[in-house]
Amino acid sequence: MGAPSALPLLLLLACSWAPGGANLSQDDSQPWTSDETVVAGGTVVLKCQVKDHEDSSLQWSNPAQQTLYFGEKRALRDNRIQLVSSTPHELSISISNVALADEGEYTCSIFTMPVRTAKSLVTVLGIPQKPIITGYKSSLREKETATLNCQSSGSKPAAQLTWRKGDKELHGDQTRVQEDPNGKTFTVSSSVSFQVTREDDGASIVCSVNHESLKGADRSTSQRIEVLYTPTALIRPEPAHPREGQKLLLHCEGRGNPVPQQYLWVKEGSEPPLKMTQESALIFPFLNKSDSGTYGCTATSNMGSYTAYFTLNVNDPSPVPSSSSTYHAIIGGIVAFIVFLLLILLIFLGHYLIRHKGTYLTHEAKGSDDAPDADTAIINAEGGQSGGDDKKEYFI
């Protein structure tokens, strides 16, 4: 049972020890290349390498089997094709200004026995043209539907088209693909439809083409659209809080497309209308209490009209401070500050005197205990004098 199972292992070891057994898994004389992708108009480098050249030269041929280079020798008169490197182990050439016709399978050969070859597939990318937007003819009215078409030719493989409005993506139809007459490139197209609003006035609708040949570069076209819509208006007072006696302007700020060309001012409860003009401001040269009330401004364009209202309340006149009163106020403030400082100084001074006066009275009280009373001193003085007189009379 053990011998038959060991036989395949022995045969494998024998093959590995046989002369030239290493060549069973690889051929050192076999050249190798790589597939290349290039953008039309660019440059591609074809590189062929071999480990064991067996004293033979490498050769490059085009898809039509025309020899381009044999070793370092040019075989085809095409200035776009240049030699990059030629050694016994490598042959590299470059093709500049590549065209769609250059696409195909290039062959690297080495003339050993037998002849060995390697293939390199060159893929040429067709660059899509800048897209073209059609379908926009004139201004649209609010809530109408806009339909735009976008088309780009020359891409290979077929490109993809996307839509956006400003920074917002628009979902258009699926990209349609059609082969160009040259049989190599494609024309792609797409459509988008959406209902316009007044916010779309002046918006840019962008069609972008996405393709690997662009390598992330932006290739797009924009179409600015105009939307016509009814006007709106807002009344703004100047000043914001008017007082009696002031000059007041009521600005009627109209917006729309087209911009309102006529403004009609009315005051509720007053007939006829106050003013009809192309200017949007209502002016009160000298404001009175009687001017209080609700005012209406109707802004009109050929798309319609809109009326805005504003309630005017005239406040009492505010006293205007004179320069002399301002000066007196400043002086009063300075005087008050000085008086405040003096009061603080007097408080500290009084506190100081009270503390030191208490100390002085204490010392004075201690001194009076040792000294004779003033009345006693006077009596003694008088007594001494009378005693002397008696003594004098005695001696006589």
Side-chain angles (χ1 to χ4, degrees), residues 74-94:
R74 180 195 296 270
L76 185 67
R77 294 181 180 273
D78 188 341
N79 293 330
R80 300 180 307 135
I81 305 174
Q82 298 293 328
L83 179 67
V84 176
S85 175
S86 177
T87 68
H89 300 281
E90 177 186 333
L91 178 61
S92 297
I93 62 174
S94 67

Side-chain angles (χ1 to χ4, degrees), residues 202-327:
S204 293
I205 311 302
V206 181
C207 175
S208 300
V209 57
N210 301 320
H211 194 262
E212 54 187 306
S213 65
L214 300 176
K215 298 180 180 180
D218 179 65
R219 179 155 295 186
S220 59
T221 299
S222 64
Q223 174 65 63
R224 184 181 181 276
I225 63 174
E226 182 181 14
V227 180
L228 304 176
Y229 58 94
T230 56
T232 60
L234 176 67
I235 299 177
R236 178 178 57 85
E238 183 186 356
H241 304 287
R243 294 183 178 273
E244 189 175 10
Q246 288 183 329
K247 179 181 178 180
L248 173 66
L249 279 77
L250 293 181
H251 296 278
C252 187
E253 298 178 345
R255 295 181 177 87
N257 188 18
V259 177
Q261 299 296 320
Q262 189 178 70
Y263 297 89
L264 175 65
W265 285 95
V266 296
K267 181 181 180 182
E268 288 187 355
S270 176
E271 295 289 343
L274 300 177
K275 186 179 181 182
M276 179 180 291
T277 178
Q278 292 183 350
E279 298 189 5
S280 60
L282 181 63
I283 303 174
F284 298 83
F286 191 86
L287 206 57
N288 295 313
K289 284 282 190 178
S290 60
D291 293 324
S292 296
T294 300
Y295 290 81
C297 170
T298 301
T300 303
S301 71
N302 57 10
M303 288 296 295
S305 60
Y306 182 89
T307 302
Y309 294 95
F310 177 78
T311 299
L312 173 62
N313 294 314
V314 180
N315 299 314
D316 293 330
S318 58
V320 180
S322 62
S323 59
S324 60
S325 63
T326 304
Y327 173 76

Side-chain angles (χ1 to χ4, degrees), residues 28-308:
D28 290 342
S29 298
Q30 175 62 44
W32 72 87
T33 62
S34 61
D35 294 339
E36 303 293 338
T37 300
V38 60
V39 177
T43 300
V44 63
V45 175
L46 302 179
K47 185 176 182 180
C48 181
Q49 294 175 289
V50 66
K51 187 174 181 181
D52 184 5
H53 56 84
E54 297 185 12
D55 295 327
S56 182
S57 297
L58 294 168
Q59 172 186 289
W60 271 111
S61 303
N62 63 14
Q65 295 304 312
Q66 296 172 310
T67 302
L68 304 179
Y69 266 89
F70 181 74
E72 60 183 8
K73 296 180 181 179
R74 180 195 296 270
L76 185 67
R77 294 181 180 273
D78 188 341
N79 293 330
R80 300 180 307 135
I81 305 174
Q82 298 293 328
L83 179 67
V84 176
S85 175
S86 177
T87 68
H89 300 281
E90 177 186 333
L91 178 61
S92 297
I93 62 174
S94 67
I95 305 175
S96 60
N97 195 20
V98 175
L100 293 173
D102 294 322
E103 184 175 80
E105 208 170 51
Y106 288 74
T107 304
C108 174
S109 307
I110 185 169
F111 292 92
T112 57
M113 292 299 292
V115 176
R116 296 173 174 84
T117 61
K119 302 291 184 179
S120 174
L121 177 63
V122 174
T123 302
V124 180
L125 303 178
I127 304 175
Q129 297 178 1
K130 185 179 178 68
I132 300 173
I133 296 178
T134 58
Y136 180 77
K137 298 179 181 179
S138 61
S139 303
L140 299 166
R141 290 178 175 266
E142 188 175 19
K143 296 183 180 180
E144 285 186 343
T145 299
T147 300
L148 301 177
N149 305 305
C150 181
Q151 180 176 292
S152 174
S153 302
S155 59
K156 178 183 174 297
Q160 292 292 320
L161 299 175
T162 58
W163 292 92
R164 71 177 188 272
K165 179 174 61 177
D167 296 331
K168 181 180 178 181
E169 182 182 358
L170 290 176
H171 298 285
D173 298 340
Q174 187 175 5
T175 302
R176 299 180 294 274
V177 180
Q178 183 178 358
E179 189 177 66
D180 291 335
N182 59 21
K184 294 181 178 294
T185 59
F186 301 90
T187 294
V188 293
S189 59
S190 177
S191 301
V192 66
S193 298
F194 58 96
Q195 188 181 65
V196 298
T197 65
R198 61 183 59 202
E199 287 76 18
D200 294 329
D201 183 36
S204 293
I205 311 302
V206 181
C207 175
S208 300
V209 57
N210 301 320
H211 194 262
E212 54 187 306
S213 65
L214 300 176
K215 298 180 180 180
D218 179 65
R219 179 155 295 186
S220 59
T221 299
S222 64
Q223 174 65 63
R224 184 181 181 276
I225 63 174
E226 182 181 14
V227 180
L228 304 176
Y229 58 94
T230 56
T232 60
L234 176 67
I235 299 177
R236 178 178 57 85
E238 183 186 356
H241 304 287
R243 294 183 178 273
E244 189 175 10
Q246 288 183 329
K247 179 181 178 180
L248 173 66
L249 279 77
L250 293 181
H251 296 278
C252 187
E253 298 178 345
R255 295 181 177 87
N257 188 18
V259 177
Q261 299 296 320
Q262 189 178 70
Y263 297 89
L264 175 65
W265 285 95
V266 296
K267 181 181 180 182
E268 288 187 355
S270 176
E271 295 289 343
L274 300 177
K275 186 179 181 182
M276 179 180 291
T277 178
Q278 292 183 350
E279 298 189 5
S280 60
L282 181 63
I283 303 174
F284 298 83
F286 191 86
L287 206 57
N288 295 313
K289 284 282 190 178
S290 60
D291 293 324
S292 296
T294 300
Y295 290 81
C297 170
T298 301
T300 303
S301 71
N302 57 10
M303 288 296 295
S305 60
Y306 182 89
T307 302

Side-chain angles (χ1 to χ4, degrees), residues 312-350:
L312 173 62
N313 294 314
V314 180
N315 299 314
D316 293 330
S318 58
V320 180
S322 62
S323 59
S324 60
S325 63
T326 304
Y327 173 76
H328 292 158
I330 295 174
I331 296 299
I334 295 174
V335 171
F337 181 71
I338 294 174
V339 170
F340 176 72
L341 291 178
L342 289 175
L343 287 174
I344 293 177
L345 182 61
L346 288 175
I347 291 172
F348 277 101
L349 183 60

